[in-house]
Amino acid sequence: MKVYKFGGASIADAGRMAALLPIISEEQEPLLIVISAMGKTTNALERIVQCAVNKEYPEAYKLGNELKQQHLEYAEKLLVADNYAQTKGAMEVLFVEFDEAIKKADSKRFDYSYDQIVCMGELFSSCILHGYLAQNNLSTTWVDVRKVLITDNTYRDAVVDWNWSALQAEATIGRELKKKKIVVTQGFIGATAAGDSVTLGREGSDYTAAVLAAMLHMDSVTIWKDVDGFRNADPKLFPGTVKINAISYAEVIEMAFYGAQIIHPKTIKPLHNNNIPLYVKCFLDKKLSGSVIKADAGDVHYPPMIVLKDKQVLVQVTTRDFSFITEDNLSKLYSIFHDLKVKINLIQNAAISFVACIDNRDDKVTPLIQALSKDYKVTINEQVSLLTVRHFNLAVVEDLTKYHTILLRQETRKTLQVVMK
Ligand code: ASP
Ligand code: MG
């Protein structure tokens, strides 16, 4: 059995969703569908969160109502009278929850409030897809994934309780699949044991598909995208990219970790650990061959794989008393990053200094600098980019860096990374 994951672009409008029908109905076996929010819904929900926590209620409800209306109009374009009424009924239950979440939003519990509101996008879109498949005589069940993926309470980046969730997955989704149903559920969201909604990190629907595939021992995951497969660099940023037909988990996890946008970095681990292949296919033309990500096929020769991550900050930490950056200081520094949950993209240390490249997130950078400044001298370079090239050759690197100032360069046998301005 397969998992199909459809991202926001694949359901950006009603026409797009309708075009998925042949892809879904062609599949002979029961299917698990994991879906994102439509188009840019998550961004719209984030704006509502901002208004709601600032207690700007008229604006929050205005934006909220617009979003509800958009979803209802979308559903109306696809569904005939009875099906529309049924879907609308299901959505109205969610609308009540949505309004309630706006009302209760609190800046003192920002991440919690964020998740109660932002989780709505996937719930809405999955309701509509479920209604549409049912209307087309496909035997379909809608599952609220918040009853399946049980997590801790790290709001906005929740950690799945694997054992508990696996049992839930079997009892809900697994049971429906055994009845030969198509199960439609949401990516990106889950809930705590207490039943509060959580999200798994932006663009986290890929991860949901992988987690559920692993828990339910599925044969494969297919991510349907608007591109023809996996490429050696982002074609929006670099000319002359090449498609890669088959690529190993190890290669993709490196690229995703350093910022390749194609797949959420957390997606690969559950697939690798259960040896489940991941297909990247194009929803605009299902006949295109796409790419597969799977166990290492031996001595594959890869072209230079390029990832450019913008919006980085280079943080340089120096001891004030000229003490060395050895075990004691390193341990202290790592604990500060760990306690503030700041992910380090690149690290280097010298005698009395330590340099880390991190994402430029205001909510992370400011507290980090405050914490580090207590015991160290801290200097930062903002607006830098992290360029990673795997399987590099020097001509490619020269070409990519020629108009930039290089602040830091690190090289291993396979990978070259530079932080540049
Ligand atoms: N809708 C969420 C987001 O845009 C999750 C996803 O698309 O994977 O971040
Ligand atoms: Mg998305």
Side-chain angles (χ1 to χ4, degrees):
M1 281 185 286
K2 295 176 187 160
V3 181
Y4 278 3
K5 182 258 167 172
F6 294 108
S10 72
I11 51 165
D13 56 52
R16 280 270 168 88
M17 187 181 276
L20 300 182
L21 186 64
I23 294 175
I24 296 167
S25 57
E26 197 174 72
E27 178 54 30
Q28 300 297 319
E29 296 207 13
L31 193 62
L32 170 58
I33 297 178
V34 173
I35 195 164
S36 296
M38 291 162 28
K40 300 275 175 244
T41 303
T42 306
N43 294 351
L45 287 163
E46 286 186 338
R47 284 192 290 277
I48 295 173
V49 173
Q50 274 312 337
C51 297
V53 296
N54 293 338
K55 309 275 175 223
E56 294 157 9
Y57 292 119
E59 184 65 9
Y61 282 114
K62 183 179 144 264
L63 295 173
N65 289 335
E66 278 168 18
L67 202 64
K68 291 180 204 163
Q69 200 49 40
Q70 278 164 19
H71 280 80
L72 289 175
E73 281 165 18
Y74 185 117
E76 209 170 9
K77 283 193 191 129
L78 287 171
L79 303 174
V80 298
D82 280 358
N83 294 79
Y84 177 67
Q86 218 171 354
T87 300
K88 189 173 173 217
M91 289 174 75
E92 273 163 355
V93 176
L94 297 168
F95 291 165
V96 174
E97 189 184 333
F98 184 28
D99 287 343
E100 196 68 15
I102 293 175
K103 191 167 89 193
K104 287 194 185 144
D106 181 354
S107 59
K108 289 200 256 341
R109 295 184 77 195
F110 183 87
D111 290 353
Y112 167 85
S113 305
Y114 177 103
D115 280 0
Q116 309 318 302
I117 293 174
V118 167
C119 71
M120 286 294 148
E122 273 66 15
L123 291 161
F124 297 163
S125 64
S126 60
C127 263
I128 302 176
L129 180 67
H130 169 247
Y132 183 60
L133 298 181
Q135 172 170 292
N136 286 282
N137 301 317
L138 293 171
S139 174
T140 316
T141 311
W142 182 84
V143 170
D144 185 338
V145 83
R146 296 177 299 175
K147 303 253 171 7
V148 180
L149 292 184
I150 310 301
T151 70
D152 70 357
N153 60 3
T154 315
Y155 296 101
R156 295 181 73 186
D157 196 14
V159 179
V160 173
D161 180 325
W162 196 274
N163 293 335
W164 189 352
S165 302
L167 289 174
Q168 292 295 106
E170 212 35 83
T172 53
I173 299 172
R175 215 181 65 183
E176 293 301 312
L177 292 172
K178 282 200 188 81
K179 291 193 228 154
K180 306 253 171 277
K181 295 239 172 145
I182 295 176
V183 176
V184 177
T185 198
Q186 308 80 34
F188 176 56
I189 70 174
T192 64
D196 293 318
S197 302
V198 298
T199 63
L200 306 176
R202 282 302 306 265
E203 307 300 331
S205 296
D206 296 344
Y207 177 57
T208 305
V211 165
L212 292 175
M215 289 175 176
L216 294 159
H217 312 289
M218 304 295 269
D219 297 317
S220 68
V221 174
T222 307
I223 297 186
W224 292 89
K225 297 186 73 79
D226 55 2
V227 292
D228 63 347
F230 202 93
R231 294 193 158 257
N232 70 320
D234 184 345
K236 290 186 200 111
L237 301 178
F238 300 97
T241 58
V242 287
K243 194 188 116 200
I244 306 194
N245 297 329
I247 184 167
S248 70
Y249 295 123
E251 204 58 49
V252 174
I253 205 166
E254 293 288 339
M255 289 185 70
F257 180 81
Y258 290 118
Q261 295 289 325
I262 188 144
I263 278 156
H264 193 283
K266 290 199 291 189
T267 312
I268 299 299
K269 180 170 181 262
L271 297 176
H272 166 271
N273 293 358
N274 295 276
N275 204 13
I276 300 172
L278 172 65
Y279 296 91
V280 178
K281 294 268 290 170
C282 181
F283 62 79
L284 299 169
D285 185 355
K286 65 181 161 64
K287 290 194 291 302
L288 295 175
S289 59
S291 301
V292 58
I293 300 160
K294 57 186 177 57
D296 209 340
D299 222 8
V300 186
H301 178 77
Y302 294 108
M305 310 281 262
I306 303 162
V307 185
L308 183 67
K309 201 168 196 227
D310 284 334
K311 302 204 183 82
Q312 299 292 293
V313 182
L314 195 63
V315 183
Q316 172 157 9
V317 181
T318 312
T319 54
R320 288 211 180 97
D321 59 355
F322 255 52
S323 63
F324 291 126
I325 298 275
T326 45
E327 313 81 285
D328 291 354
N329 276 313
L330 275 178
S331 151
K332 200 157 114 190
L333 287 163
Y334 277 119
S335 331
I336 295 175
F337 282 82
H338 176 257
D339 293 345
L340 296 170
K341 294 201 168 92
V342 179
K343 180 186 155 224
I344 301 175
N345 297 326
L346 185 88
I347 202 161
Q348 187 154 309
N349 71 290
I352 57 162
S353 69
F354 167 99
V355 185
C357 181
I358 61 171
D359 292 347
N360 192 359
R361 276 181 53 176
D362 213 21
D363 59 326
K364 298 281 183 190
V365 176
T366 309
L368 178 74
I369 291 170
Q370 272 166 5
L372 291 169
S373 302
K374 281 190 198 126
D375 292 317
Y376 301 93
K377 187 172 150 245
V378 182
T379 46
I380 60 164
N381 280 288
E382 283 179 290
Q383 312 299 349
V384 298
S385 316
L386 173 62
L387 174 73
T388 304
V389 189
R390 292 194 37 91
H391 312 283
F392 64 95
N393 61 54
L394 293 174
V396 167
V397 176
E398 171 62 38
D399 192 43
L400 292 168
T401 55
K402 63 184 171 207
Y403 301 118
H404 299 273
T405 310
I406 295 181
L407 303 173
L408 180 71
R409 177 177 166 125
Q410 247 179 39
E411 196 176 313
T412 61
R413 220 152 34 91
K414 272 194 187 154
T415 313
L416 183 138
Q417 294 189 290
V418 298
V419 177
M420 58 191 196
K421 237 182 151 63

